[in-house]
Amino acid sequence: MSTLRPQGPVALEQFNLMKLTITIMVLVIVVVFALSFYVIVKFRRRPGDNKVPVQVEGNHKLEIIWTVIPIVLLLILGVPTVQSVFGLAKDYSKDDNAVQVIVTGHQYWWEFEYPQYGIKTAQELMIPTGKTISISAKSADVIHSFWIPSLAGKIDTNPGSNVNKMYFSSKHDGVYLGKCAELCGPSHALMDFKVKSVSSDSFDRWVAGMKEPGQLPADAAISDVFQKQCLTCHAVGDKGLQLYPNLTNIGDRETIGGILVNTDDPKYKNEGSTYDNLKRWISDPQAVKPGNSMPKVDLTKEQIDGIAKYLSEYKQK
Amino acid sequence: MAHAHPVKRHTGLMDWLTTVDHKKIGILYLIAGGFFFLIGGLEALLIRVQLWKPLNNFVGADTYNELLTMHGTTMIFLAAMPVIFALMNAIVPLQIGARDVAFPFVNSLGFWTFFFGGLLLNISWLAGTVPDAGWTSYVPLASPTYNVDKGVDFYVLGLQIAGIGTLIGGINFLVTIINMRAPGMSFMRMPMFTWTAFITSALILFAFPALTVGLVALMFDRLFEANFFEVAGGGNTVLWEHIFWIFGHPEVYILILPAFGVISEVISTFSRKRLFGYSSMVFATVLIGFLGFMVWAHHMFTVGLGPVANALFSIATMLIAVPTGIKIFNWIFTMWGGSIRFTSANLFAVGFVPTFVMGGVTGVMLAAAPADFQYHDSYFVVAHFHYVIVGGLVLGLFAGLHYWWPKMFGRALNEFIGKLTFWTFFIGFHLTFFVQHFLGLMGMPRRIWTYLDGLGFNTMNLISTIGAFLMGLGTIFFIINIIVTAAKPKNAGNDPWEDGRTLEWSIPSPAPEYNFAQTPLVRGYDALWKEKMDGNEGMSPAEPIGPIHMPSPSILPFLMSVGLFIAGFGFLYAKNDWNNAFVSNIFGNHIVAGLGLAITLGCMVVRSLKDDHGFHIEPEEITGKGVKA
């Protein structure tokens, strides 16, 4: 996920600018270090040395040199910077060829809405590889900042009607880690998300899958609890409310709550199978992400198991 | 002429509470600033302990946010600023040949308001509701909607009270430097430290009111349901960011310029050479101060201000590199051809130059807006500003303290422990912050209380934590040095470094109450050095020995600050749910707050109505005490 391994043209442009600046700056550092080192070795006071050095007032030629050289270096840096500033500010929000995504930051989760397809999802931004993704970013509460280090630099999500635009695209299929980069409360550190870049075909299948009618648990008792306790905030397909993360096809996601990584081969404390992660999350959401809006729902152990099983198996057909 | 007004001279604690002597106020600033520096340092260590391994749970998410907020706020406002004021108070009047600052009473008031403001802010730890929205206190996270406890109230009230102190302190130094220079001390003969103190004071004058406006608006939002920043009520959150950084960016230069001044003095003295390119140094300082006000939006490149603003602020920011570069090369060429003596003060100064360059170049990197989209709010930024503030300012302050300690206290710090302090602090500093550049580039956001395993962050965070403990060790060595030194006799001569160039080294260490028995006549830049080179014993006086007029000590500044402190509490707890009808009543109806304000205003009335002409020190007293055996 490093900014030093860009996986798309926007991150690449930023990386190139970073390389240019780093090169110039290393040059400056080398010159200053070399001069400093030379001076402190050469002109250190030897024991018994009592002479008074020549009191030099200054030297116009030298002073002009070290004023002009930085200006030239800054010009070399300034021109591509300005070009890039305007280049990256291009607005694709009216472009039909671009995939439009409305990103909304919440304490502490990400909502992704695709207005062209009429679908909403959470925590996992699905994108077609190679296509331009046009982001309109806003916040539902405090300021967050939307950042996918290996694909593009960040943009703040502001509350109110202040919508920020940016764009990016990915060159290869893959899963990229995204982060919240603006302090937004206790679980700021845990407000991760994933960007899943897939082929156009897979993307279309995913869109179709998200539009399928919602499926309820097969077990009637679990289904009843799920509708009463979960769908009052969440949604699956066309059922339930869209106030909090949409759960459609949650079994396909890489993470639960953006932070519990789903894997059958858990290595770290925040990893587990989808089923285990769901159980861990539902039993005590506050222990996983302190300060988030989901309460500890009044459920029996069997009910939690049932719901976790149902959700972990809720996958795209 | 010489009428002696009877004035009560206090001793012991009362002397310190009532003093209006700039040298004693400087020491008070140093003690209070040092105290808050230790608190802020402790918070930093707790932060680093929490981050030493992934998914650590040493302090929880809430406590971590409190720690990072209080660390930043304390270090900037309550540690760095006061220690700068300590040096300015202790040295600037001596460097310009003045007997005190222009407004000694205001000087004392400035200290006490700072102190009680800082105390109020830190009492939040005892009250159990600590500010947790970052030192930048961005709304809506700091707004009453999303921050319901009193934490941020402590922040807005504490900083407002402390801010009064800084603002009037700045005004005081502006007036002092403009009006109180000794005969012959023209602007272009002023020592570099005085110049930087002058520009810093000017920056304070223009920057702090912006902060005050922001804090007052946020206070109205929080305490009286105003809607400056409430989106639902038509407020705007980006407005806070602008106001904060219009103050916040000049604040960076308020902090660093005095360090530039210290470094110029120390390097020049210990190279036994005149500061190279003095006039270009002055020009660069003024230019940095000026440009410092036009670059605030580079803290906001990702806010969505649009390409025009981002491009302009990028270029403006890069421009600051030019005057800063001039300074760096001037320091190097001051040493060039000199005879450099590596005292601990000079070690800090020489260590400062390359360290600060590293902080400076990352600053230019951050100025390139599109690249900043990647750096912003990552550990790269954390590394950058610690290189500037710790590697720049704190090394500068250490250099200044080791250099002027004999002038402030009459005893030189132990050189061996001083060098030990330098090496542990310096190595610890680079260990802590150098790796953070790479953490940021690898995608570690700042202000996160924990990070996941398997992202490649582990080793570098561990290194960083080890470095932080080394810095802590360096600080402990410094404290030991202070204690060891305090136990030794006061034996520092007028010019303990033997190569002193400026006026403060022409008078006894520590300086007598009235500084100069006779106001000196300044005949050139590096006034004392010039006399030395011309073969004269010390400065020529510009006046005969006569009675010296002194300001009277006063308890009023202390009381006024206590009043503000009480008022702050009154406002903080006005809506508190006390389990006692009487207490609820006096807080709820703002009786406590009113009482506090009444104390302050009452003191102002007393100060205005009471005639106080000060007193005189007679010539007999001066010749008796002023000459050291």
Side-chain angles (χ1 to χ4, degrees), chain B residues 264-470:
Chain B
S264 305
E265 303 284 327
V266 173
I267 285 189
S268 160
T269 300
F270 292 111
S271 304
R272 238 181 228 167
K273 251 187 91 210
R274 184 192 154 104
L275 185 66
F276 192 94
Y278 169 77
S279 35
S280 69
M281 283 298 238
V282 171
F283 174 71
T285 310
V286 177
L287 195 61
I288 291 173
F290 182 71
L291 288 175
F293 278 98
M294 338 219 141
V295 296
W296 78 89
H298 70 213
H299 297 267
M300 302 168 61
F301 282 148
T302 66
V303 171
L305 301 178
V308 178
N310 282 1
L312 283 174
F313 279 99
S314 279
I315 298 300
T317 306
M318 290 178 188
L319 283 180
I320 294 189
V322 177
T324 316
I326 293 176
K327 283 184 164 280
I328 298 285
F329 286 107
N330 277 334
W331 287 320
I332 294 177
F333 278 81
T334 301
M335 293 189 275
W336 190 286
S339 168
I340 310 170
R341 186 175 152 209
F342 290 99
T343 56
S344 31
N346 201 28
L347 276 179
F348 279 107
V350 172
F352 166 98
V353 175
T355 310
F356 185 77
V357 168
M358 290 173 67
V361 295
T362 50
V364 181
M365 291 171 67
L366 287 162
D372 179 72
F373 294 161
Q374 289 285 20
Y375 308 133
H376 185 77
D377 269 341
S378 77
Y379 259 78
F380 190 84
V381 175
V382 177
H384 159 70
F385 67 71
H386 281 96
Y387 261 84
V388 177
I389 296 178
V390 184
L393 172 66
V394 176
L395 289 185
L397 290 177
F398 271 125
L401 287 173
H402 283 84
Y403 179 58
W404 280 310
W405 202 268
K407 192 49 69 184
M408 290 174 79
F409 296 97
R411 308 167 172 94
L413 285 169
N414 181 303
E415 275 295 299
F416 175 75
I417 310 181
K419 285 174 185 165
L420 207 58
T421 309
F422 169 75
W423 286 112
T424 39
F425 194 86
F426 189 73
I427 294 170
F429 165 76
H430 282 283
L431 272 185
T432 312
F433 296 109
F434 188 68
V435 290
Q436 292 186 356
H437 292 113
F438 300 98
L439 282 173
L441 294 179
M442 286 166 63
M444 181 163 162
R446 68 189 277 207
R447 292 172 164 176
I448 53 171
W449 67 278
T450 192
Y451 51 94
L452 299 185
D453 208 340
L455 296 175
F457 296 165
N458 304 7
T459 321
M460 286 197 265
N461 271 298
L462 179 60
I463 294 173
S464 195
T465 301
I466 294 170
F469 275 92
L470 266 183

Side-chain angles (χ1 to χ4, degrees), chain A residues 1-4 10-11 13-15 17-19 21-22 25-26 28-29 31-33 35-36 38-41 43-46 49-59 62-63 66-67 70-71 74 77-82 84-86 88-89 107 140-143 145 147-162 164 177 179-190 192 258-259 261 267-271 288 290, chain B residues 53-56 61-62 65 68-69 132-134 136 138-141 146 231 236-238 241 269-278 280 302-308 310-311 314-315 318-319 321-322 325-326 328-330 332-333 335-342 350 353-355 357-358 361-362 364-365 367-378 440-450 452-455 457 499 501 526 529 533:
Chain A
M1 73 144 182
S2 169
T3 62
L4 304 176
V10 172
E13 180 175 337
Q14 289 164 341
F15 181 57
L17 190 60
M18 284 158 71
K19 279 196 291 196
T21 51
I22 290 175
M25 294 313 147
V26 167
V28 173
I29 287 181
V31 170
V32 172
F33 273 48
L35 274 175
S36 309
Y38 175 76
V39 163
I40 57 180
V41 173
F43 299 106
R44 69 185 190 279
R45 189 176 303 175
R46 273 94 178 166
D49 176 3
N50 249 331
K51 71 169 181 355
V52 174
V54 190
Q55 304 291 308
V56 190
E57 280 191 28
N59 182 324
L62 277 175
E63 288 173 46
W66 63 59
T67 310
I71 293 178
L74 291 182
L77 179 55
V79 173
T81 298
V82 172
S84 183
V85 165
F86 284 94
L88 293 178
Q107 282 176 322
D141 37 53
V142 305
I143 301 173
S145 195
W147 186 26
I148 317 155
S150 55
L151 292 180
K154 55 194 77 66
I155 190 82
D156 290 1
T157 67
N158 293 318
S161 52
N162 197 335
N164 279 331
L177 182 55
K179 298 212 157 265
C180 174
E182 181 65 60
L183 180 65
C184 58
S187 280
H188 162 58
L190 307 174
D192 288 4
I259 200 75
V261 177
K267 274 192 287 188
Y268 306 120
K269 271 194 274 182
N270 64 316
E271 295 186 341
V288 181
Chain B
K53 64 171 188 181
L55 292 170
N56 195 7
D62 289 302
N65 285 356
L68 75 86
T69 303
D132 56 1
T136 51
Y138 272 15
V139 285
L141 189 60
Y146 295 98
V231 177
N236 189 333
T237 57
V238 177
E241 297 181 40
T269 300
F270 292 111
S271 304
R272 238 181 228 167
K273 251 187 91 210
R274 184 192 154 104
L275 185 66
F276 192 94
Y278 169 77
S280 69
T302 66
V303 171
L305 301 178
V308 178
N310 282 1
S314 279
I315 298 300
M318 290 178 188
L319 283 180
V322 177
I326 293 176
I328 298 285
F329 286 107
N330 277 334
I332 294 177
F333 278 81
M335 293 189 275
W336 190 286
S339 168
I340 310 170
R341 186 175 152 209
F342 290 99
V350 172
V353 175
T355 310
V357 168
M358 290 173 67
V361 295
T362 50
V364 181
M365 291 171 67
D372 179 72
F373 294 161
Q374 289 285 20
Y375 308 133
H376 185 77
D377 269 341
S378 77
L441 294 179
M442 286 166 63
M444 181 163 162
R446 68 189 277 207
R447 292 172 164 176
I448 53 171
W449 67 278
T450 192
L452 299 185
D453 208 340
L455 296 175
F457 296 165
D499 290 323
R501 309 176 72 85
D526 278 346
W529 182 261
M533 289 300 108

